[in-house]
Amino acid sequence: MTKRVVLLRHAKAERPARIADFDRPLTARGYADAGAAGAWLANGGHLPSAVICSPAKRTRQTWHGVALAMAETPAAKAGVGAEAAGGPVVSYEPSVYEGDARELLDLIQAVDPAAAVVLLIGHNPSISGLSRLLDPVRADPDGLRTSGIAVHRLAVDEWTQLRPSRGPIEATHTARS
């Protein structure tokens, strides 16, 4: 069975004065780009059955935009994938905000074995670090840009079998509205 890990760096966020990094909201472009990311994922057949998301405001807003866009695609409306079946299981994990690439890998290894596609929405440098950890040859050395997506194909039956250098990149995209 082939499983996929979809890594998404949060969309473009504001940098307002006197606002903690954790509470930074998306810009108008960020909202639009999150929707573009969701449409690209759905149209490419990458509807997640599980979502792991940082609890930071900008990543939660990115997930919301992605989910809305996925729900509007023909695949979801036709009853294909997790979006049509009530949506994926979503967990907001503090270690996605605070952790490194290895901690993100640990989170994926703990996903329900029934999930076929995991979407992880996070921050740099850890999200790009995880992409390099899974595919050191093809990962972008400059890392994922805002709204950047890397789809890693895994030849494993259980998420616990996921190991470094064992997740070749199948597709990449930088969503722009």
Side-chain angles (χ1 to χ4, degrees), residues 1-5 116 134 152-163 165-168 170:
M1 169 187 240
T2 299
K3 293 186 181 289
R4 285 179 176 71
V5 171
L134 293 174
H152 292 264
R153 181 180 28 84
L154 314 171
V156 299
D157 294 321
E158 302 283 332
W159 293 107
T160 56
Q161 298 169 336
L162 180 58
R163 300 289 182 265
S165 301
R166 303 296 306 267
E170 178 177 77

Side-chain angles (χ1 to χ4, degrees), residues 7-85:
L7 304 178
L8 170 60
R9 184 176 171 201
H10 65 78
K12 183 79 174 162
E14 294 181 12
R15 291 191 177 274
R18 295 182 298 278
I19 298 274
D21 181 71
F22 190 85
D23 297 321
R24 291 175 43 213
L26 293 183
T27 63
R29 182 184 120 196
Y31 281 107
D33 290 352
W40 185 85
L41 289 170
N43 290 327
H46 306 296
L47 293 172
S49 29
V51 176
I52 302 170
C53 186
S54 161
K57 186 171 191 171
R58 61 191 177 274
T59 48
R60 288 182 288 119
Q61 289 176 330
T62 298
W63 165 238
H64 186 252
V66 166
L68 287 174
M70 283 194 288
E72 293 299 317
T73 62
K77 289 180 178 179
V80 177
E83 283 297 308

Side-chain angles (χ1 to χ4, degrees), residues 90-167:
V90 181
S91 62
Y92 296 95
E93 297 290 340
S95 59
V96 178
Y97 181 74
E98 301 162 350
D100 62 17
R102 292 268 178 187
E103 289 172 279
L104 299 182
L105 182 67
D106 291 344
L107 287 172
I108 295 167
Q109 289 172 328
V111 168
D112 180 344
V117 178
V118 172
L119 171 61
L120 194 149
I121 305 171
H123 311 267
N124 267 347
S126 59
I127 196 86
S128 293
L130 178 58
S131 189
R132 281 189 300 279
L133 186 66
L134 293 174
D135 188 347
V137 174
R138 289 180 285 279
D140 188 332
D142 294 328
L144 294 169
R145 290 152 187 78
T146 56
S147 302
I149 301 166
V151 180
H152 292 264
R153 181 180 28 84
L154 314 171
V156 299
D157 294 321
E158 302 283 332
W159 293 107
T160 56
Q161 298 169 336
L162 180 58
R163 300 289 182 265
S165 301
R166 303 296 306 267

